[in-house]
Amino acid sequence: MRIVMIGSGYVGLVSGACLADFGHHVTCVDKSAAKIDALEAGKVPIFEPGLDNIIEHNRNAGRLDFSKELATSVANADVVFIAVGTPSRRGDGHADLSYVYAAAREIAAAVSGFTVVVTKSTVPVGTGDEIERIFREEFPQKDICVVSNPEFLREGAAITDFKRPDRIVIGTEEPRAVEIMREVYRPLYLNEAPLYFCERRTSELIKYAANAFLAMKITFINEIADLCEQIGADVQKVAKGIGMDKRIGDKFLHAGPGYGGSCFPKDTLALVKTAQDYDSPVRLIETTVAINDNRKRAMGRKVIAACDGNVRGKKIAILGLTFKPNTDDMRDAPSITIIQALLDGGANVHAYDPEGMEMAKEVIGPITYGTDPYEIAEGADAIVIVTEWDEFRALDLKRMKSLVKTPTIVDLRNIYPVAEVTKHGFSYFAIGKKNEKK
Ligand code: UGA
């Protein structure tokens, strides 16, 4: 089976490499010459654990290649995936579909024979219909079927998520496309991953509804965490206690500084806009978006409060910048807003992140970057854990204590047992727990 992936960003590259690993022949296309040149030179432009090995292995096996030329690549393809970006449109928060439609037109102009065109990018409900309309009106002689197949990959765990999915959602009612999509995912099907076929519009909405639900679940536990701080309860124990109920489930109940990343903020906003357009507002999600936006700045205030209400001239050491561990992605990372609040308060911010510092330099104001947690802890008035990277989970707290000016830890990810930190003489401010002030 010949598969072409249009867009070699995060989704396109992971999906393309994994499909090649299943034994298909895959070409990943991108307009960015720099990106394709880098990939051809064996450099993977994103940080995703395990991806470089899969790319190398499948290139060597002759199953995976890269190209800047869309038309020649798709000419003999059986399946063409559209995995280009759908950023939030400036001004109104709707998903910007200009790249999707441009790719669809280029694909239609170049394909021959029956071809399945699959939207893998997260696209609003009705996008598949619109692509089909374009094909019908502008390319009536072509035999193309439009299918929705959203991805549910998490950054940092994308390879495992692709190879061991909870489900594969495929939106099409066209029997020929059903056959081809079964063939694409046959190796997963044999592993008993359920292929869930439904109408195209339903499939498009499943993606948004899934992300909105998860964002709402996180926001729910974040609000419960605030309440825990006021009434003297422990949010981690509340999360465990409710999570043992199978109807609730224990996943996505880690209280923190608010969700970030390239998906939840963008997709929740797009769902809100779509629902408003259809005069069927999703008020729970509107509220989720508003609460999460406020929360990031509130985390800055939490750090300031831990520093006795004033950070002017104080050195604040930030551990972790990316929106979550195991990625270098800084998009909508809570660290950006938290650091801005600290800079506004006159703090002297030093930061360290294992992978995110290059990207952070483009989006964060004037701060100093360090080479490890101990270097930035030197002379600090507070240490703030913003991202739960593994290397922050077992810090040498004795050494930290000897380096800092004021022994204060603000742990926005709850990665330490309270007693472990206080034992070393630190004041400890976590999320959804009683403050431990020395
Ligand atoms: C998310 C979804 O989990 C994927 O299923 C989906 O495919 C993807 O969006 C997408 O639409 O492309 P991702 O953004 O990579 O994946 O990361 P998550 O692990 O879901 O985390 C998102 C944010 O929520 C992070 O800022 C994380 O710190 C936060 N989070 C997550 C919490 O604060 N608490 C939790 O319990 C879980």
Side-chain angles (χ1 to χ4, degrees), residues 132-151:
E132 194 170 86
R133 188 192 61 77
I134 293 172
F135 289 173
R136 207 173 41 241
E137 290 178 3
E138 299 178 23
F139 306 91
Q141 72 288 9
K142 300 279 172 121
D143 189 10
I144 310 175
C145 181
V146 183
V147 172
S148 156
N149 172 218
E151 58 84 16

Side-chain angles (χ1 to χ4, degrees), residues 151-153 155 207 211 252 254 260 263 323-324 413:
E151 58 84 16
F152 301 99
L153 309 175
E155 288 189 20
K207 170 68 191 188
N211 273 1
F252 276 69
H254 298 294
C263 305
F323 80 100
K324 66 175 198 174
R413 298 289 183 173

Side-chain angles (χ1 to χ4, degrees), residues 90-140:
R90 217 174 264 275
D92 65 3
H94 275 285
D96 178 352
L97 297 176
S98 51
Y99 303 109
V100 171
Y101 294 136
R105 285 194 168 86
E106 277 189 68
I107 294 164
V111 295
S112 54
F114 178 63
T115 312
V116 176
V117 171
V118 186
T119 52
K120 193 111 194 88
S121 306
T122 300
V123 290
V125 179
T127 305
D129 292 0
E130 180 59 16
I131 296 175
E132 194 170 86
R133 188 192 61 77
I134 293 172
F135 289 173
R136 207 173 41 241
E137 290 178 3
E138 299 178 23
F139 306 91

Side-chain angles (χ1 to χ4, degrees), residues 301-346:
R301 291 197 295 276
K302 183 179 173 80
V303 175
I304 296 172
C307 296
D308 297 325
N310 182 12
V311 288
R312 188 156 301 281
K314 291 185 179 167
K315 175 174 177 181
I316 309 294
I318 302 282
L319 298 187
L321 294 167
T322 50
F323 80 100
K324 66 175 198 174
N326 296 324
T327 175
D328 59 356
D329 200 334
M330 283 297 298
R331 281 175 287 179
D332 269 314
S335 66
I336 302 170
T337 316
I338 296 167
I339 289 175
Q340 192 54 54
L342 295 171
L343 292 173
D344 292 347

Side-chain angles (χ1 to χ4, degrees), residues 37-303:
D37 290 345
L39 284 163
E40 281 182 330
K43 294 192 197 97
V44 181
I46 53 168
F47 175 77
E48 179 61 37
L51 181 60
D52 43 1
N53 284 343
I54 296 194
I55 289 180
E56 191 190 339
H57 174 71
N58 285 284
R59 282 190 75 201
N60 291 343
R63 288 191 295 262
L64 178 64
D65 49 39
F66 302 102
S67 173
K68 297 161 209 164
E69 302 299 329
L70 186 148
T72 45
S73 303
V74 302
N76 297 310
D78 300 298
V79 185
V80 183
F81 283 89
I82 300 180
V84 298
T86 54
S88 285
R89 200 162 60 191
R90 217 174 264 275
D92 65 3
H94 275 285
D96 178 352
L97 297 176
S98 51
Y99 303 109
V100 171
Y101 294 136
R105 285 194 168 86
E106 277 189 68
I107 294 164
V111 295
S112 54
F114 178 63
T115 312
V116 176
V117 171
V118 186
T119 52
K120 193 111 194 88
S121 306
T122 300
V123 290
V125 179
T127 305
D129 292 0
E130 180 59 16
I131 296 175
E132 194 170 86
R133 188 192 61 77
I134 293 172
F135 289 173
R136 207 173 41 241
E137 290 178 3
E138 299 178 23
F139 306 91
Q141 72 288 9
K142 300 279 172 121
D143 189 10
I144 310 175
C145 181
V146 183
V147 172
S148 156
N149 172 218
E151 58 84 16
F152 301 99
L153 309 175
R154 285 165 303 162
E155 288 189 20
I159 307 291
T160 323
D161 282 354
F162 196 94
K163 294 196 164 183
R164 302 201 203 306
D166 291 340
R167 79 304 202 188
I168 300 144
V169 175
I170 300 171
T172 181
E173 292 167 282
E174 153 74 56
R176 289 182 299 167
V178 168
E179 269 322 295
I180 289 201
M181 294 307 285
R182 269 195 207 287
E183 188 56 26
V184 169
Y185 286 111
R186 195 172 41 85
L188 288 180
Y189 185 61
L190 295 177
N191 282 347
E192 296 185 357
L195 295 189
Y196 181 58
F197 286 93
C198 55
E199 308 82 13
R200 197 168 53 208
R201 280 183 165 245
T202 304
S203 164
E204 288 168 341
L205 186 56
I206 286 172
K207 170 68 191 188
Y208 282 97
N211 273 1
F213 188 87
L214 293 170
M216 191 176 66
K217 200 171 176 191
I218 296 166
T219 305
F220 171 81
I221 202 67
N222 284 342
E223 284 209 311
I224 294 294
D226 290 349
L227 184 59
C228 284
E229 286 176 29
Q230 298 309 316
I231 62 181
D234 181 328
V235 72
Q236 281 177 302
K237 292 182 181 157
V238 173
K240 192 165 179 191
I242 61 173
M244 283 191 277
D245 184 330
K246 289 198 184 63
R247 293 169 303 174
I248 297 174
D250 59 359
K251 304 276 190 310
F252 276 69
L253 284 177
H254 298 294
Y259 61 78
S262 62
C263 305
F264 287 172
K266 170 172 78 71
D267 293 350
T268 44
L269 202 58
L271 181 61
V272 164
K273 297 293 170 188
T274 302
Q276 284 168 356
D277 282 355
Y278 282 87
D279 205 14
S280 181
V282 282
R283 296 208 179 83
L284 282 171
I285 309 306
E286 288 176 12
T287 306
T288 297
V289 170
I291 295 170
N292 195 66
D293 280 350
N294 289 335
R295 184 168 186 81
K296 299 179 193 173
R297 186 90 187 172
M299 291 298 114
R301 291 197 295 276
K302 183 179 173 80
V303 175

